[in-house]
Amino acid sequence: MNSFKHRLLILIVALMVFAQGVTVVLALVYLNRGVRAESAAQLTVAHDMLERTLESRARQLRSAAEVLVQDFAFREAAASGDRPTILSALDNHAGRISAALAMLYDTDGAILASTLPGKPIGRVHPPSADAGPQAPVFVVIDRQPYQLVFVPLRAPEVIGW
């Protein structure tokens, strides 16, 4: 009799352990799926918010840059190659709009003036002269990301970006 009781007890305990194991595994699978779905939803929302923020900032930067390139004194300085005046205007304008940097590119993409002197920026290919507003370009300078927008500098033809 004693042996039957032990076998019955072992069977009952084994069934309980099995049932608890199945319950734990199912709960973990369910939680894993829920966490993944919630994470994906949060990433989508964060992605959309980041995109809207970057687009908004690009519009603000483009608008501010258009104000600068319409300034007659700046266009004169750029057309004549007056580097100190160009740098001063870029620096003042960047400060007014809280931009970390401002650059003047020639039509081939070479930097004519930059408010980050001595930092290697590399060659960026500005859009063609007849292109409309472009998507912003992102560059990394000294391990710091920057968002660039291009606005044509016309005098009356495009002489820079």
Side-chain angles (χ1 to χ4, degrees):
M1 255 319 177
N2 198 8
S3 129
F4 178 72
K5 284 183 182 180
H6 285 311
R7 279 191 258 147
L8 186 59
L9 181 64
I10 290 173
L11 179 64
I12 290 173
V13 169
L15 286 174
M16 285 177 37
V17 167
F18 177 73
Q20 287 297 318
V22 168
T23 302
V24 167
V25 168
L26 289 177
L28 288 176
V29 167
Y30 176 76
L31 287 173
N32 187 19
R33 285 183 186 163
V35 167
R36 285 182 184 266
E38 183 65 26
S39 296
Q42 287 181 0
L43 282 174
T44 301
V45 169
H47 176 265
D48 293 344
M49 184 184 302
L50 177 64
E51 244 180 34
R52 283 193 305 273
T53 301
L54 291 174
E55 287 172 4
S56 172
R57 182 65 176 156
R59 279 192 305 273
Q60 291 172 344
L61 291 171
R62 188 173 290 108
S63 176
E66 286 171 352
V67 169
L68 177 63
V69 298
Q70 291 172 2
D71 181 66
F72 181 76
F74 181 72
R75 284 188 302 193
E76 279 290 313
S80 67
D82 184 359
R83 188 171 167 81
T85 303
I86 294 170
L87 282 173
S88 175
L90 287 174
D91 194 41
N92 288 338
H93 200 67
R96 273 190 234 123
I97 63 171
S98 300
L101 69 103
M103 295 180 282
L104 177 63
Y105 285 91
D106 69 9
T107 54
D108 295 326
I111 296 175
L112 298 175
S114 170
T115 58
L116 287 178
K119 301 279 187 187
I121 296 168
R123 198 166 196 78
V124 176
H125 299 289
S128 64
D130 58 346
Q134 300 291 308
V137 175
F138 294 91
V139 296
V140 177
I141 303 167
D142 199 26
R143 288 194 243 169
Q144 182 72 30
Y146 292 93
Q147 180 181 23
L148 302 181
V149 295
F150 290 96
V151 176
L153 175 62
R154 300 178 190 276
E157 296 297 317
V158 174
I159 61 170
W161 292 89

